[in-house]
Amino acid sequence: METKNIMIVGVGGQGSLLASKLLGHLLLGQGFDVKVSEVHGMSQRGGSVVTFVRYGEHVASPVIDKGQADAIVSFELLEAARWLEYLKPGGRIVANTQRMDPMPVITGAAEYPQGLTEKMQAAGAAVDPLDCLSLAERAGNVKAVNLVLLGRLSHYFDFPESAWQEAIKACVPAKFLEVNQRAFQLGKNA
Amino acid sequence: MKKLILGNAAVARGLYEAGCAVASSYPGTPSTEITEEAAKFPEIYCEWAPNEKVAMETAFGASLAGRRAFCAMKHVGLNVAADPLFTMSYTGVNAGLVIAVADDPAMHSSQNEQDSRHYARAAKLPMLEPSDSAEALRFTKLAYQLSEEFDTPVLLKMCTRVAHSQSVAELADRQEPEARPYTKNPPKYVMAPANALRRHPVVEQRLLDLAAWAETADLNRVEEGSSRSLGIVASSTCYQYVKEACGDRFPVLKLGMVWPLPERKIRDFAAGVDQLVVVEEGDPFLEGCCRGLGLDVRGKELFPLTGELSQNRIAEKLGLPVPASVKLEEELPNRPPVMCAGCPHRGLFYTLHKLGCTVLGDIGCYTLGAMPPLSAMDMTLCMGASISGLHGFNKALGREAQVKTVAVIGDSTFVHSGMTGLANAAYNQSNSTVIVVDNSITGMTGHQQNPTTGFSLRGEPAGKIDLEALCRAMGVNRVRVVDPYDLKACEAAVKEELAAEELSVIISRRPCALLKYVPRKPALKVDPDKCRGCKACMKIGCPAISMERGKARVDATQCVGCGVCGQLCGFGALEAGKEAE
């Protein structure tokens, strides 16, 4: 099979590392070769962050390049737009509609762009916008946005529910397990 | 057992399996996790050293004593440790000694893009370069074999995309190496001129022996391709990009050892293809070596000297198809890294900005003080350069500079290489103002302990340097501590020490807001009736504050209740949040 590509994009500190860990665990369990590429350090401090998840029979490059992503999981709307170029034409974007102003917007040097979902759709992306923050709150913890997003992503991937559940159990600390399971279901059924 | 494992964790696993006994490192992105992961194995003694030179010498001592030893650093750390490195090449080792160095092309978290392969050639040491986690593990173990067989330290070169990518590796059990008891051998280990003169020819011969080994070793391998119009030489992550871009179209000479090079293997490979292409990030290192062999080769005329490569960049230059993509037409605002909400450095940098100081900075989270709106940094060079740079600046300009120029350096960086700068300033009677921003942790690399925190790498109680006593012992009479959350106190301290006509140290002390033991106060609340939308609170560049419909808004998921913004509000609109019931 051809290598499949999922990107996780967001703002440093939003919890994308748990999402990629969980995906890696799931995909390895499904018998795929997997590569997951992260960036640590300076860029984590509230900057734009991206994680690449690739799987298939044999994966060579650890990174996803422009026009290659089958899906983008986005923790923040502006970040989805920033990485749009990496999406395959017609690819899927699962987008948390949360807005986090970057420093140039806070200082007034730039404006936060309006209508990003529509603009991305007009450019040919299949955008699935979701207020993940509210759903995470409903699940019991605002930090469970990552599991809401993964729940939504699971909707578009043909892996058994049991495999997702097993990956959640393996990657989430026991005391947060129930909240995260709820968040996953809320995302999936949204 | 197969496992999806981070490249750095795979190196740590290789250390474990190879029977490594001692690891000493200084944290630096993208190398930090190697030593953190190694510390999870109780069989390996692991520590953070104050700097890379000390770490390397510690590892050397352990090797001399007869135990397999290791140290890791980022590329610029090898500059600090270059002094022991070059002479360890002469002494060789007793038990195996492996040094991991992690380059950072595209500077995800670094101040330059230097190419560490030059060190292997300059110090006449072998360098292995893995291209994924499986190789990171295998090459680490191989490095110990080579180290003992050829009596040499071995360099293991990582880069961001290998260090910080997870891929699948096969794990094995630990093998305790045979004992190599220490025996006195001054001609080998005392590098005074008479002995070193005899060691140098040994080094040269060793390099020839290693090159001969490289000719037949399977870590340098040829992969056949369907067309011989092009033959590609690559190593590390570039090899993976080439395979992604080209599949099995062209033959590839995949180098796992980038110094010394298998000259015959390269010549034979070149002879079998129409055109030789080297794909490498950084400098034309392999390309230059091919040219040195008299080969007609293309490399940097196709690929840039700067940044990282990728499958598309390689495909494009080799005339292969590149996937179509779409983008939005409008320019999107950048999202640069920022100081976190509640960062204790913020209050200090706000003060320096307000006072219009010239700020000679250093390496750490506080380098972000250079970003707008704080914009309070004039120079950042390398670890420790703030204090020595300030001393020179003030000696050059005298009083006009002394009254408005400061050095800012973190606690870990101060111990790394700021102490010697302060010794110089005290000894040579500098009238300088040095600010140590002490957040009680090595922050930027992700919370590592250091000699000022009182805890070891494994979080156990450890020695603790008393910064105030240390500065006084060096001869600094004016040493004071200030809380950077208290803007008035901060301003008074900076003004007074700049005015003083002698060397001063201000310790701006408050632990990093992200440390687990630091209590988080409830988020501040904006009183919309009092807020006039004047944006005074936004001058500190806190990511938790934004404007919404003309009023300030505090993001409760980010705010830690530090209250610095409240001190800027002239209308009392930012109120402390209430503790949850």
Side-chain angles (χ1 to χ4, degrees), chain A residues 35-38 40 42 45 48 54 61 63 65-66 68 76 79 82 85 100 103 106 119, chain B residues 33 109 164-166 240 244 310-312 324-326 330 333-335 337-338 443 538 541:
Chain A
K35 283 192 177 170
V36 178
S37 192
E38 305 151 359
H40 305 202
M42 170 77 94
R45 302 281 172 267
S48 170
R54 313 192 71 215
S61 171
V63 302
D65 214 328
K66 288 172 186 167
Q68 285 193 324
E76 202 271 354
E79 294 311 307
R82 189 185 313 286
E85 220 179 339
M100 289 175 80
M103 199 45 68
I106 290 177
K119 286 175 188 166
Chain B
E33 298 83 3
S109 193
H164 285 165
S165 292
Q166 302 175 49
Q240 304 288 2
E244 187 76 32
S310 71
Q311 48 265 38
N312 283 4
S325 61
V326 295
E330 69 187 285
N334 288 335
R335 191 183 299 274
V338 291
M538 299 184 77

mmCIF file of all heavy atoms in Angstrom, chain A residues 35-38 40 42 45 48 54 61 63 65-66 68 76 79 82 85 100 103 106 119, chain B residues 33 109 164-166 240 244 310-312 324-326 330 333-335 337-338 443 538 541:
data_model
loop_
_atom_site.group_PDB
_atom_site.id
_atom_site.type_symbol
_atom_site.label_atom_id
_atom_site.label_comp_id
_atom_site.label_asym_id
_atom_site.label_seq_id
_atom_site.Cartn_x
_atom_site.Cartn_y
_atom_site.Cartn_z
ATOM 1 N N LYS A 35 6.250 5.908 11.157
ATOM 2 C CA LYS A 35 7.214 6.925 11.587
ATOM 3 C C LYS A 35 6.441 8.134 12.109
ATOM 4 O O LYS A 35 5.444 8.550 11.497
ATOM 5 C CB LYS A 35 8.154 7.338 10.454
ATOM 6 C CG LYS A 35 9.237 6.285 10.224
ATOM 7 C CD LYS A 35 10.361 6.730 9.324
ATOM 8 C CE LYS A 35 11.396 5.613 9.262
ATOM 9 N NZ LYS A 35 12.416 5.845 8.227
ATOM 10 N N VAL A 36 6.892 8.664 13.215
ATOM 11 C CA VAL A 36 6.266 9.842 13.822
ATOM 12 C C VAL A 36 7.377 10.861 14.054
ATOM 13 O O VAL A 36 8.375 10.545 14.687
ATOM 14 C CB VAL A 36 5.608 9.495 15.171
ATOM 15 C CG1 VAL A 36 5.009 10.749 15.807
ATOM 16 C CG2 VAL A 36 4.539 8.428 14.999
ATOM 17 N N SER A 37 7.196 12.061 13.527
ATOM 18 C CA SER A 37 8.240 13.068 13.665
ATOM 19 C C SER A 37 7.719 14.284 14.415
ATOM 20 O O SER A 37 6.671 14.828 14.092
ATOM 21 C CB SER A 37 8.730 13.484 12.280
ATOM 22 O OG SER A 37 9.903 14.230 12.414
ATOM 23 N N GLU A 38 8.453 14.680 15.429
ATOM 24 C CA GLU A 38 8.042 15.790 16.288
ATOM 25 C C GLU A 38 9.151 16.836 16.300
ATOM 26 O O GLU A 38 10.266 16.536 15.933
ATOM 27 C CB GLU A 38 7.857 15.292 17.736
ATOM 28 C CG GLU A 38 6.904 14.131 17.873
ATOM 29 C CD GLU A 38 7.226 13.223 19.048
ATOM 30 O OE1 GLU A 38 8.210 13.481 19.756
ATOM 31 O OE2 GLU A 38 6.497 12.243 19.234
ATOM 32 N N HIS A 40 10.852 19.352 19.184
ATOM 33 C CA HIS A 40 10.865 19.742 20.589
ATOM 34 C C HIS A 40 11.630 21.061 20.722
ATOM 35 O O HIS A 40 12.171 21.564 19.760
ATOM 36 C CB HIS A 40 11.591 18.686 21.432
ATOM 37 C CG HIS A 40 11.050 17.292 21.299
ATOM 38 N ND1 HIS A 40 11.257 16.343 22.246
ATOM 39 C CD2 HIS A 40 10.316 16.691 20.337
ATOM 40 C CE1 HIS A 40 10.681 15.209 21.882
ATOM 41 N NE2 HIS A 40 10.108 15.388 20.716
ATOM 42 N N MET A 42 12.658 24.973 21.418
ATOM 43 C CA MET A 42 12.236 26.372 21.282
ATOM 44 C C MET A 42 10.828 26.525 20.747
ATOM 45 O O MET A 42 10.017 27.279 21.271
ATOM 46 C CB MET A 42 13.247 27.073 20.369
ATOM 47 C CG MET A 42 12.874 28.456 19.909
ATOM 48 S SD MET A 42 13.101 29.703 21.159
ATOM 49 C CE MET A 42 14.753 30.290 20.784
ATOM 50 N N ARG A 45 7.407 26.638 22.793
ATOM 51 C CA ARG A 45 6.976 27.723 23.663
ATOM 52 C C ARG A 45 5.920 28.591 23.002
ATOM 53 O O ARG A 45 6.188 29.713 22.600
ATOM 54 C CB ARG A 45 8.193 28.576 24.055
ATOM 55 C CG ARG A 45 9.278 27.813 24.747
ATOM 56 C CD ARG A 45 8.943 27.592 26.218
ATOM 57 N NE ARG A 45 9.903 26.703 26.851
ATOM 58 C CZ ARG A 45 9.732 25.387 26.955
ATOM 59 N NH1 ARG A 45 8.678 24.801 26.478
ATOM 60 N NH2 ARG A 45 10.638 24.642 27.556
ATOM 61 N N SER A 48 4.072 27.799 16.645
ATOM 62 C CA SER A 48 3.368 26.879 15.767
ATOM 63 C C SER A 48 4.087 25.524 15.801
ATOM 64 O O SER A 48 5.291 25.463 15.600
ATOM 65 C CB SER A 48 3.417 27.482 14.356
ATOM 66 O OG SER A 48 2.959 26.564 13.409
ATOM 67 N N ARG A 54 3.220 8.920 9.787
ATOM 68 C CA ARG A 54 3.196 8.249 8.488
ATOM 69 C C ARG A 54 3.108 6.746 8.711
ATOM 70 O O ARG A 54 3.764 6.204 9.597
ATOM 71 C CB ARG A 54 4.460 8.575 7.685
ATOM 72 C CG ARG A 54 4.821 10.064 7.674
ATOM 73 C CD ARG A 54 5.898 10.350 6.624
ATOM 74 N NE ARG A 54 5.345 10.221 5.290
ATOM 75 C CZ ARG A 54 6.007 9.748 4.234
ATOM 76 N NH1 ARG A 54 7.255 9.365 4.362
ATOM 77 N NH2 ARG A 54 5.419 9.635 3.063
ATOM 78 N N SER A 61 10.827 8.432 4.558
ATOM 79 C CA SER A 61 11.021 9.756 5.160
ATOM 80 C C SER A 61 10.213 9.900 6.449
ATOM 81 O O SER A 61 9.059 9.478 6.520
ATOM 82 C CB SER A 61 10.581 10.832 4.168
ATOM 83 O OG SER A 61 10.567 12.091 4.810
ATOM 84 N N VAL A 63 9.240 12.757 7.533
ATOM 85 C CA VAL A 63 8.416 13.971 7.439
ATOM 86 C C VAL A 63 7.428 13.890 6.275
ATOM 87 O O VAL A 63 7.615 13.151 5.322
ATOM 88 C CB VAL A 63 9.276 15.260 7.293
ATOM 89 C CG1 VAL A 63 10.219 15.409 8.457
ATOM 90 C CG2 VAL A 63 10.027 15.269 5.977
ATOM 91 N N ASP A 65 5.566 16.048 3.284
ATOM 92 C CA ASP A 65 5.901 17.233 2.496
ATOM 93 C C ASP A 65 4.623 17.842 1.911
ATOM 94 O O ASP A 65 3.532 17.293 2.064
ATOM 95 C CB ASP A 65 6.890 16.847 1.391
ATOM 96 C CG ASP A 65 7.884 17.960 1.104
ATOM 97 O OD1 ASP A 65 7.512 19.144 1.247
ATOM 98 O OD2 ASP A 65 9.028 17.658 0.724
ATOM 99 N N LYS A 66 4.792 18.985 1.252
ATOM 100 C CA LYS A 66 3.642 19.687 0.674
ATOM 101 C C LYS A 66 2.857 18.767 -0.270
ATOM 102 O O LYS A 66 3.451 18.038 -1.056
ATOM 103 C CB LYS A 66 4.111 20.929 -0.076
ATOM 104 C CG LYS A 66 4.575 22.013 0.875
ATOM 105 C CD LYS A 66 5.209 23.172 0.161
ATOM 106 C CE LYS A 66 5.774 24.136 1.197
ATOM 107 N NZ LYS A 66 6.677 25.134 0.617
ATOM 108 N N GLN A 68 1.067 16.166 0.473
ATOM 109 C CA GLN A 68 1.119 14.739 0.799
ATOM 110 C C GLN A 68 0.143 14.283 1.890
ATOM 111 O O GLN A 68 -0.124 13.086 1.996
ATOM 112 C CB GLN A 68 2.529 14.359 1.259
ATOM 113 C CG GLN A 68 3.550 14.270 0.120
ATOM 114 C CD GLN A 68 4.825 13.600 0.573
ATOM 115 O OE1 GLN A 68 5.269 13.778 1.701
ATOM 116 N NE2 GLN A 68 5.426 12.824 -0.319
ATOM 117 N N GLU A 76 -6.057 24.299 16.236
ATOM 118 C CA GLU A 76 -6.350 25.733 16.201
ATOM 119 C C GLU A 76 -6.526 26.126 14.746
ATOM 120 O O GLU A 76 -5.805 25.633 13.870
ATOM 121 C CB GLU A 76 -5.191 26.499 16.843
ATOM 122 C CG GLU A 76 -5.510 27.881 17.362
ATOM 123 C CD GLU A 76 -5.336 28.977 16.333
ATOM 124 O OE1 GLU A 76 -4.853 28.709 15.204
ATOM 125 O OE2 GLU A 76 -5.709 30.111 16.641
ATOM 126 N N GLU A 79 -3.716 27.623 12.544
ATOM 127 C CA GLU A 79 -2.671 26.630 12.269
ATOM 128 C C GLU A 79 -3.098 25.683 11.147
ATOM 129 O O GLU A 79 -2.269 25.251 10.356
ATOM 130 C CB GLU A 79 -2.307 25.871 13.538
ATOM 131 C CG GLU A 79 -1.645 26.745 14.592
ATOM 132 C CD GLU A 79 -0.507 27.595 14.040
ATOM 133 O OE1 GLU A 79 0.401 27.025 13.410
ATOM 134 O OE2 GLU A 79 -0.542 28.828 14.204
ATOM 135 N N ARG A 82 -2.371 27.552 8.080
ATOM 136 C CA ARG A 82 -0.926 27.683 7.857
ATOM 137 C C ARG A 82 -0.364 26.452 7.151
ATOM 138 O O ARG A 82 0.514 26.548 6.317
ATOM 139 C CB ARG A 82 -0.216 27.889 9.195
ATOM 140 C CG ARG A 82 1.256 28.245 9.077
ATOM 141 C CD ARG A 82 1.952 28.319 10.428
ATOM 142 N NE ARG A 82 1.237 29.077 11.435
ATOM 143 C CZ ARG A 82 1.133 30.403 11.465
ATOM 144 N NH1 ARG A 82 1.720 31.106 10.537
ATOM 145 N NH2 ARG A 82 0.463 31.003 12.426
ATOM 146 N N GLU A 85 -1.079 23.875 2.784
ATOM 147 C CA GLU A 85 -0.264 23.510 1.624
ATOM 148 C C GLU A 85 0.231 22.064 1.698
ATOM 149 O O GLU A 85 0.617 21.477 0.685
ATOM 150 C CB GLU A 85 0.947 24.454 1.574
ATOM 151 C CG GLU A 85 1.306 24.901 0.197
ATOM 152 C CD GLU A 85 2.493 25.853 0.197
ATOM 153 O OE1 GLU A 85 2.782 26.471 1.248
ATOM 154 O OE2 GLU A 85 3.125 25.967 -0.856
ATOM 155 N N MET A 100 -6.642 31.009 18.937
ATOM 156 C CA MET A 100 -5.620 31.493 19.869
ATOM 157 C C MET A 100 -4.800 32.546 19.152
ATOM 158 O O MET A 100 -4.151 32.254 18.149
ATOM 159 C CB MET A 100 -4.723 30.333 20.331
ATOM 160 C CG MET A 100 -5.441 29.370 21.284
ATOM 161 S SD MET A 100 -4.442 27.940 21.725
ATOM 162 C CE MET A 100 -3.385 28.657 22.976
ATOM 163 N N MET A 103 1.294 36.180 18.859
ATOM 164 C CA MET A 103 1.822 37.442 19.385
ATOM 165 C C MET A 103 1.662 38.621 18.418
ATOM 166 O O MET A 103 1.310 39.715 18.854
ATOM 167 C CB MET A 103 3.281 37.246 19.828
ATOM 168 C CG MET A 103 3.811 38.296 20.799
ATOM 169 S SD MET A 103 2.710 38.734 22.186
ATOM 170 C CE MET A 103 2.694 37.228 23.144
ATOM 171 N N ILE A 106 -1.693 39.869 19.033
ATOM 172 C CA ILE A 106 -1.797 40.469 20.374
ATOM 173 C C ILE A 106 -1.176 41.870 20.390
ATOM 174 O O ILE A 106 -1.728 42.804 20.956
ATOM 175 C CB ILE A 106 -1.106 39.550 21.423
ATOM 176 C CG1 ILE A 106 -1.942 38.269 21.606
ATOM 177 C CG2 ILE A 106 -0.934 40.276 22.761
ATOM 178 C CD1 ILE A 106 -1.353 37.252 22.556
ATOM 179 N N LYS A 119 -12.649 29.698 3.620
ATOM 180 C CA LYS A 119 -11.548 29.901 2.667
ATOM 181 C C LYS A 119 -10.835 28.574 2.362
ATOM 182 O O LYS A 119 -10.456 28.314 1.221
ATOM 183 C CB LYS A 119 -10.540 30.904 3.225
ATOM 184 C CG LYS A 119 -11.038 32.343 3.192
ATOM 185 C CD LYS A 119 -10.047 33.257 3.869
ATOM 186 C CE LYS A 119 -10.623 34.664 4.030
ATOM 187 N NZ LYS A 119 -9.827 35.467 4.958
ATOM 188 N N GLU B 33 17.041 14.112 25.122
ATOM 189 C CA GLU B 33 16.322 12.901 25.555
ATOM 190 C C GLU B 33 17.227 11.684 25.640
ATOM 191 O O GLU B 33 16.872 10.703 26.285
ATOM 192 C CB GLU B 33 15.147 12.605 24.614
ATOM 193 C CG GLU B 33 14.083 13.692 24.557
ATOM 194 C CD GLU B 33 14.447 14.813 23.611
ATOM 195 O OE1 GLU B 33 15.502 14.730 22.954
ATOM 196 O OE2 GLU B 33 13.687 15.797 23.539
ATOM 197 N N SER B 109 15.840 24.904 17.055
ATOM 198 C CA SER B 109 16.085 25.402 18.406
ATOM 199 C C SER B 109 17.577 25.625 18.623
ATOM 200 O O SER B 109 18.165 25.077 19.552
ATOM 201 C CB SER B 109 15.536 24.399 19.424
ATOM 202 O OG SER B 109 15.491 24.962 20.715
ATOM 203 N N HIS B 164 14.425 13.206 16.819
ATOM 204 C CA HIS B 164 13.058 13.479 17.259
ATOM 205 C C HIS B 164 12.002 12.793 16.402
ATOM 206 O O HIS B 164 10.857 13.242 16.348
ATOM 207 C CB HIS B 164 12.815 14.995 17.330
ATOM 208 C CG HIS B 164 13.484 15.617 18.517
ATOM 209 N ND1 HIS B 164 13.667 16.960 18.658
ATOM 210 C CD2 HIS B 164 14.009 15.048 19.618
ATOM 211 C CE1 HIS B 164 14.301 17.200 19.807
ATOM 212 N NE2 HIS B 164 14.510 16.058 20.393
ATOM 213 N N SER B 165 12.393 11.741 15.698
ATOM 214 C CA SER B 165 11.404 10.924 14.997
ATOM 215 C C SER B 165 11.327 9.558 15.652
ATOM 216 O O SER B 165 12.350 9.013 16.060
ATOM 217 C CB SER B 165 11.792 10.749 13.526
ATOM 218 O OG SER B 165 11.693 11.974 12.855
ATOM 219 N N GLN B 166 10.116 9.042 15.741
ATOM 220 C CA GLN B 166 9.940 7.678 16.221
ATOM 221 C C GLN B 166 9.855 6.757 15.017
ATOM 222 O O GLN B 166 9.145 7.062 14.059
ATOM 223 C CB GLN B 166 8.636 7.545 17.012
ATOM 224 C CG GLN B 166 8.515 8.467 18.204
ATOM 225 C CD GLN B 166 7.139 8.353 18.844
ATOM 226 O OE1 GLN B 166 6.659 7.263 19.102
ATOM 227 N NE2 GLN B 166 6.513 9.486 19.091
ATOM 228 N N GLN B 240 16.825 8.787 3.716
ATOM 229 C CA GLN B 240 15.390 8.488 3.771
ATOM 230 C C GLN B 240 14.605 9.362 2.794
ATOM 231 O O GLN B 240 13.667 8.900 2.146
ATOM 232 C CB GLN B 240 14.846 8.687 5.194
ATOM 233 C CG GLN B 240 15.564 7.887 6.277
ATOM 234 C CD GLN B 240 15.265 6.391 6.221
ATOM 235 O OE1 GLN B 240 14.537 5.913 5.338
ATOM 236 N NE2 GLN B 240 15.841 5.636 7.148
ATOM 237 N N GLU B 244 12.400 8.083 -0.377
ATOM 238 C CA GLU B 244 11.009 8.523 -0.498
ATOM 239 C C GLU B 244 10.770 9.144 -1.873
ATOM 240 O O GLU B 244 9.762 8.889 -2.519
ATOM 241 C CB GLU B 244 10.701 9.552 0.599
ATOM 242 C CG GLU B 244 9.256 9.966 0.694
ATOM 243 C CD GLU B 244 8.380 8.908 1.363
ATOM 244 O OE1 GLU B 244 8.889 8.202 2.248
ATOM 245 O OE2 GLU B 244 7.211 8.793 0.976
ATOM 246 N N SER B 310 14.057 17.753 1.919
ATOM 247 C CA SER B 310 12.831 16.967 2.089
ATOM 248 C C SER B 310 12.648 16.194 0.794
ATOM 249 O O SER B 310 13.331 16.467 -0.200
ATOM 250 C CB SER B 310 11.630 17.872 2.332
ATOM 251 O OG SER B 310 11.303 18.556 1.136
ATOM 252 N N GLN B 311 11.688 15.257 0.793
ATOM 253 C CA GLN B 311 11.479 14.452 -0.413
ATOM 254 C C GLN B 311 11.107 15.313 -1.619
ATOM 255 O O GLN B 311 11.597 15.079 -2.726
ATOM 256 C CB GLN B 311 10.435 13.355 -0.176
ATOM 257 C CG GLN B 311 9.132 13.783 0.483
ATOM 258 C CD GLN B 311 9.144 13.571 1.996
ATOM 259 O OE1 GLN B 311 10.176 13.789 2.628
ATOM 260 N NE2 GLN B 311 8.037 13.141 2.555
ATOM 261 N N ASN B 312 10.260 16.334 -1.409
ATOM 262 C CA ASN B 312 9.861 17.161 -2.550
ATOM 263 C C ASN B 312 11.033 17.967 -3.105
ATOM 264 O O ASN B 312 11.179 18.129 -4.319
ATOM 265 C CB ASN B 312 8.755 18.146 -2.153
ATOM 266 C CG ASN B 312 7.387 17.477 -2.047
ATOM 267 O OD1 ASN B 312 7.272 16.262 -2.208
ATOM 268 N ND2 ASN B 312 6.363 18.262 -1.763
ATOM 269 N N ALA B 324 0.885 17.988 -6.255
ATOM 270 C CA ALA B 324 0.196 19.284 -6.317
ATOM 271 C C ALA B 324 -0.259 19.679 -4.917
ATOM 272 O O ALA B 324 -0.464 18.825 -4.057
ATOM 273 C CB ALA B 324 -1.023 19.163 -7.232
ATOM 274 N N SER B 325 -0.361 20.964 -4.664
ATOM 275 C CA SER B 325 -0.846 21.416 -3.358
ATOM 276 C C SER B 325 -1.600 22.717 -3.525
ATOM 277 O O SER B 325 -1.508 23.377 -4.554
ATOM 278 C CB SER B 325 0.327 21.601 -2.392
ATOM 279 O OG SER B 325 1.213 22.576 -2.881
ATOM 280 N N VAL B 326 -2.369 23.060 -2.485
ATOM 281 C CA VAL B 326 -3.130 24.312 -2.516
ATOM 282 C C VAL B 326 -2.725 25.167 -1.321
ATOM 283 O O VAL B 326 -2.217 24.651 -0.329
ATOM 284 C CB VAL B 326 -4.651 24.060 -2.443
ATOM 285 C CG1 VAL B 326 -5.129 23.316 -3.663
ATOM 286 C CG2 VAL B 326 -5.024 23.301 -1.170
ATOM 287 N N GLU B 330 -3.976 34.755 0.991
ATOM 288 C CA GLU B 330 -3.603 35.829 1.918
ATOM 289 C C GLU B 330 -2.418 35.432 2.800
ATOM 290 O O GLU B 330 -2.160 34.252 3.043
ATOM 291 C CB GLU B 330 -4.798 36.197 2.792
ATOM 292 C CG GLU B 330 -5.177 35.105 3.774
ATOM 293 C CD GLU B 330 -6.473 35.436 4.504
ATOM 294 O OE1 GLU B 330 -6.445 36.293 5.404
ATOM 295 O OE2 GLU B 330 -7.491 34.834 4.138
ATOM 296 N N PRO B 333 -0.752 35.606 9.761
ATOM 297 C CA PRO B 333 0.177 36.078 10.800
ATOM 298 C C PRO B 333 1.064 34.943 11.303
ATOM 299 O O PRO B 333 0.615 33.809 11.414
ATOM 300 C CB PRO B 333 -0.751 36.575 11.917
ATOM 301 C CG PRO B 333 -2.140 36.297 11.501
ATOM 302 C CD PRO B 333 -2.152 35.715 10.135
ATOM 303 N N ASN B 334 2.315 35.253 11.567
ATOM 304 C CA ASN B 334 3.243 34.266 12.126
ATOM 305 C C ASN B 334 2.828 33.892 13.531
ATOM 306 O O ASN B 334 2.106 34.628 14.192
ATOM 307 C CB ASN B 334 4.651 34.849 12.211
ATOM 308 C CG ASN B 334 5.262 34.982 10.846
ATOM 309 O OD1 ASN B 334 4.889 34.266 9.927
ATOM 310 N ND2 ASN B 334 6.176 35.928 10.711
ATOM 311 N N ARG B 335 3.328 32.753 13.993
ATOM 312 C CA ARG B 335 3.143 32.395 15.388
ATOM 313 C C ARG B 335 4.516 32.019 15.950
ATOM 314 O O ARG B 335 4.870 30.855 16.055
ATOM 315 C CB ARG B 335 2.154 31.241 15.555
ATOM 316 C CG ARG B 335 1.741 31.023 17.013
ATOM 317 C CD ARG B 335 0.826 29.821 17.162
ATOM 318 N NE ARG B 335 -0.422 29.927 16.441
ATOM 319 C CZ ARG B 335 -1.523 30.521 16.908
ATOM 320 N NH1 ARG B 335 -1.522 31.075 18.093
ATOM 321 N NH2 ARG B 335 -2.615 30.552 16.180
ATOM 322 N N PRO B 337 7.506 31.484 18.759
ATOM 323 C CA PRO B 337 7.460 31.067 20.161
ATOM 324 C C PRO B 337 7.467 32.293 21.067
ATOM 325 O O PRO B 337 8.000 33.341 20.707
ATOM 326 C CB PRO B 337 8.733 30.241 20.341
ATOM 327 C CG PRO B 337 9.606 30.580 19.184
ATOM 328 C CD PRO B 337 8.720 31.048 18.080
ATOM 329 N N VAL B 338 6.832 32.184 22.221
ATOM 330 C CA VAL B 338 6.757 33.304 23.165
ATOM 331 C C VAL B 338 7.040 32.792 24.574
ATOM 332 O O VAL B 338 6.966 31.601 24.831
ATOM 333 C CB VAL B 338 5.358 33.952 23.166
ATOM 334 C CG1 VAL B 338 5.089 34.664 21.863
ATOM 335 C CG2 VAL B 338 4.268 32.922 23.430
ATOM 336 N N GLY B 443 15.342 25.537 31.538
ATOM 337 C CA GLY B 443 13.964 25.604 31.041
ATOM 338 C C GLY B 443 13.785 25.208 29.591
ATOM 339 O O GLY B 443 12.964 24.356 29.262
ATOM 340 N N MET B 538 -1.197 44.909 27.790
ATOM 341 C CA MET B 538 -0.660 44.099 26.695
ATOM 342 C C MET B 538 0.805 44.406 26.403
ATOM 343 O O MET B 538 1.421 43.748 25.574
ATOM 344 C CB MET B 538 -1.509 44.300 25.445
ATOM 345 C CG MET B 538 -2.946 43.845 25.700
ATOM 346 S SD MET B 538 -3.986 43.924 24.271
ATOM 347 C CE MET B 538 -3.466 42.484 23.372
ATOM 348 N N GLY B 541 3.317 41.486 26.642
ATOM 349 C CA GLY B 541 3.342 40.387 25.678
ATOM 350 C C GLY B 541 2.977 39.047 26.281
ATOM 351 O O GLY B 541 3.637 38.045 26.024
#
